[in-house]
Amino acid sequence: MSQSTVFDLLGSTGDNREVRAKGWIRTKRDSKNIIFFEINDGSCMKGLQVVVDKEQGIVDDVLNPKLTTGASVDVEGRLVPSQGKGQGVELLAETVEVLGEAPEDYPLQKKRHSFEFLRDIAHLRPRTNTFGAVTRVRNTLSAAVHVFFQERGFLWIHTPIITGSDAEGAGNMFQVTTLDPSAPPRNAEGEVDYSQDFFGKKAHLTVSGQLQVENFACSMSNVYTFGPTFRAENSNTSRHLSEFWMIEPEMAFCDLDGNRHLAEDFIKYLLSRVLENCEEDMDFFNRWIEKGNLENLRKVLETPFAHLTYTDAIAELEKASSSFEFKPSWGIDLQAEHEKFLTESVVGGPLTVTDYPKDIKAFYMKQNDDGKTVRAMDVLVPRLGEIIGGSQREDNFDKLHSRITQMGMDPQEYDWYLDLRKYGSVPHSGFGLGFERMVQYVTGMQNIRDVIPFPRAPKTISF
Ligand code: ATP
Ligand code: MG
């Protein structure tokens, strides 16, 4: 008999047909005549109740003690309307087989464990309600990312994970090398001789696919990347990881306004897909993780994102200057407390801030005519702050060249990037959405380490 998922069985009617289900036992109740146990297989949060009539001798005294929380089982029987409350159907067992026992030291009991505790137990974490829900929501979001772009004719570009470009304008990089760290070859000056390294030069893990993907935007027009990125920054916060996933669309013939509107459509699309497809999980988050989350997200869907220039945002912050530890003034980089204030107290929802001072933004952003600001945009959301960072790119060769020089970088290292401005340059724009921040935003999960299967952060690399 073919096997059904718990999700499929719970969604069908109890018509007494023969079915087979496999999963792990969550809970068990043993009474005089009947054994009840609930199995879960990850296909949904709810478990399927299995009912064993002891008189039928299906479960004997040897098997019964093996039916414990965490054990894996294979059950055949009839799907019938449930006698109990809270579920439509249950499985009346005819055969029960334990595939793998879970001895007494199995740590997942009914009590709740802290997320920190769970991070250290690889086998247990994905079997919890919360992490199961995160996993399903994450999956729905990943698929929705591709549907959104594919429906709009964007091409998915696989930008490299190992990069030969020395600095991509976004934070510290992890080096990739096969040289012996204790005795690297050295040149006459005593410096490490990277010409003898694996790639014949210094190599790093990418911090962003943007510079590479711009080459494809300036040929295929609308493109995006979706892959892992790595940042060796010592940020021990609840919204930074050392390895995270990023989605970076890049559009030719597109200015900052077009960029801003795509970002808004994109976030709203992702939200709507999760609200439609992950109802059970979203109800769970709303109840246990972030109260009022569902209502907030629904409101976001119905309301246009607010938009302020950086200069106006600073003016708003200065009005409330006394409430900040870090005093706002024109020219500063917005701090988490400022982003929180703007989204939560000034606009009450997502906010796009544009036209930042050029000195706090990356070299490739298009310079405004005022000589002070660049065509940058960040999308900020309540609780988290920045979720998207993007810009219109500088498409003027001379301006970009002189900015690179001004910032003390070597234009020769960027000749391949500057060339885009030499041959058929076009206005183009793009942004990066931190995928885990999006998962956090949608679920309300507090710590970014709890929305990725295996978190990597400073001094943290289990498994
Ligand atoms: P932040 O100021 O929050 O560190 P950033 O300015 O360094 O962000 P960008 O370089 O613009 O961020 O990256 C684009 C997006 O990638 C950010 O808006 C954010 O959603 C995400 N992101 C950046 N750094 C991290 C990180 N260390 N961990 C997880 N997501 C990140
Ligand atoms: Mg950063």
Side-chain angles (χ1 to χ4, degrees):
M1 188 190 319
S2 74
Q3 174 190 341
S4 307
T5 65
V6 168
F7 175 79
D8 285 339
L9 292 175
L10 288 177
S12 54
T13 44
D15 53 6
N16 212 36
R17 71 179 191 281
E18 286 281 347
V19 297
R20 179 175 193 180
K22 297 178 189 174
W24 295 269
I25 297 180
R26 278 286 177 86
T27 54
K28 179 189 176 192
R29 261 185 310 135
D30 193 350
S31 68
K32 194 156 154 257
N33 303 317
I34 296 177
I35 302 166
F36 296 101
F37 59 88
E38 198 183 289
I39 60 173
N40 185 282
D41 64 358
S43 59
C44 57
M45 180 170 295
K46 229 168 149 9
L48 176 69
Q49 170 145 288
V50 177
V51 183
V52 180
D53 180 352
K54 279 188 174 170
E55 272 190 5
Q56 296 196 352
I58 299 161
V59 172
D60 61 19
D61 291 346
V62 179
L63 184 56
N64 197 358
K66 296 180 182 170
L67 296 171
T68 59
T69 301
S72 52
V73 290
D74 179 350
V75 184
E76 283 182 66
R78 295 187 179 278
L79 196 67
V80 298
S82 176
Q83 309 294 310
K85 267 192 277 182
Q87 68 245 331
V89 293
E90 60 192 20
L91 177 53
L92 208 52
E94 285 168 357
T95 66
V96 175
E97 189 190 341
V98 170
L99 302 175
E101 294 174 35
E104 266 170 24
D105 60 355
Y106 184 70
L108 189 63
Q109 301 304 332
K110 265 198 138 174
K111 79 180 174 82
R112 288 174 81 181
H113 294 297
S114 75
F115 294 134
E116 289 82 358
F117 172 81
L118 290 170
R119 273 179 226 145
D120 288 329
I121 308 184
H123 72 86
L124 180 65
R125 191 169 177 243
R127 286 205 193 157
T128 61
N129 279 337
T130 305
F131 211 74
V134 165
T135 304
R136 285 182 295 268
V137 166
R138 207 182 145 100
N139 173 65
T140 297
L141 283 171
S142 315
V145 164
H146 289 298
V147 174
F148 177 85
F149 288 116
Q150 296 296 326
E151 280 183 347
R152 284 162 184 74
F154 283 60
L155 305 186
W156 180 19
I157 308 297
H158 302 112
T159 47
I161 286 174
I162 301 175
T163 176
S165 128
D166 212 359
E168 294 171 340
N172 301 333
M173 307 176 90
F174 290 100
Q175 198 180 334
V176 178
T177 178
T178 52
L179 295 180
D180 177 355
S182 61
R186 297 191 182 271
N187 61 20
E189 286 79 47
E191 295 156 344
V192 175
D193 181 8
Y194 286 107
S195 70
Q196 293 187 51
D197 201 351
F198 189 87
F199 296 106
K201 63 179 276 197
K202 247 180 148 174
H204 296 91
L205 294 180
T206 183
V207 293
S208 157
Q210 180 204 320
L211 301 192
Q212 286 93 347
V213 94
E214 277 188 46
N215 284 265
F216 282 79
C218 294
S219 51
M220 318 304 287
S221 298
N222 289 331
V223 296
Y224 69 106
T225 71
F226 183 10
T229 40
F230 308 86
R231 296 193 184 178
E233 50 192 10
N234 200 4
S235 307
N236 264 302
T237 77
S238 58
R239 45 187 214 134
H240 287 93
L241 289 165
S242 311
E243 174 177 316
F244 63 99
W245 287 64
M246 187 150 63
I247 298 127
E248 297 178 277
E250 189 72 32
M251 294 84 70
F253 316 106
C254 177
D255 64 9
L256 191 66
D257 281 335
N259 203 19
R260 183 161 64 82
H261 290 125
L262 186 86
E264 176 170 347
D265 291 349
F266 182 41
I267 288 183
K268 287 182 168 172
Y269 179 79
L270 294 182
L271 286 182
S272 68
R273 291 303 291 247
V274 171
L275 291 174
E276 270 166 37
N277 297 328
C278 304
E279 212 180 324
E280 185 190 33
D281 295 323
M282 290 303 288
D283 282 340
F284 173 86
F285 291 120
N286 193 53
R287 183 153 177 220
W288 298 105
I289 303 292
E290 174 76 12
K291 294 211 165 39
N293 188 39
L294 275 179
E295 198 187 318
N296 290 338
L297 296 180
R298 288 200 191 104
K299 206 175 95 196
V300 168
L301 279 183
E302 289 157 10
T303 323
F305 284 12
H307 171 209
L308 286 175
T309 62
Y310 169 89
T311 303
D312 290 342
I314 289 290
E316 286 293 338
L317 294 171
E318 280 175 331
K319 283 191 228 161
S321 201
S322 58
S323 34
F324 304 115
E325 214 169 290
F326 194 100
K327 297 296 163 214
S329 66
W330 203 96
I332 63 148
D333 207 354
L334 297 183
Q335 305 295 305
E337 57 174 341
H338 303 142
E339 295 178 346
K340 201 172 155 66
F341 181 84
L342 288 169
T343 51
E344 293 174 12
S345 306
V346 178
V347 305
L351 162 69
T352 311
V353 179
T354 60
D355 302 287
Y356 284 74
K358 72 171 193 276
D359 291 336
I360 57 170
K361 288 291 181 186
F363 69 94
Y364 49 71
M365 298 191 179
K366 187 169 179 61
Q367 298 169 35
N368 279 319
D369 293 337
D370 63 10
K372 292 192 313 192
T373 59
V374 287
R375 307 241 74 195
M377 70 168 202
D378 281 2
V379 177
L380 316 177
V381 295
R383 274 193 315 112
L384 288 173
E386 181 185 335
I387 186 166
I388 280 180
S391 69
Q392 184 168 341
R393 319 305 188 189
E394 184 54 77
D395 50 52
N396 178 294
F397 182 93
D398 295 329
K399 284 187 180 169
L400 185 61
H401 191 278
S402 69
R403 188 76 188 132
I404 289 176
T405 316
Q406 239 175 46
M407 291 178 81
M409 295 151 44
D410 178 5
Q412 263 181 355
E413 282 282 329
Y414 295 92
D415 54 358
W416 62 281
Y417 183 69
L418 280 159
D419 281 349
L420 289 174
R421 282 75 181 165
K422 219 188 223 171
Y423 308 109
S425 189
V426 290
H428 61 287
S429 303
F431 62 80
L433 169 72
F435 185 61
E436 283 73 23
R437 295 220 185 141
M438 187 65 197
V439 181
Q440 270 189 292
Y441 181 45
V442 166
T443 58
M445 292 292 286
Q446 290 291 321
N447 196 318
I448 196 164
R449 297 179 191 193
D450 298 318
V451 298
I452 187 163
F454 295 93
R456 272 84 180 89
K459 302 280 182 288
T460 303
I461 185 158
S462 307
F463 320 120

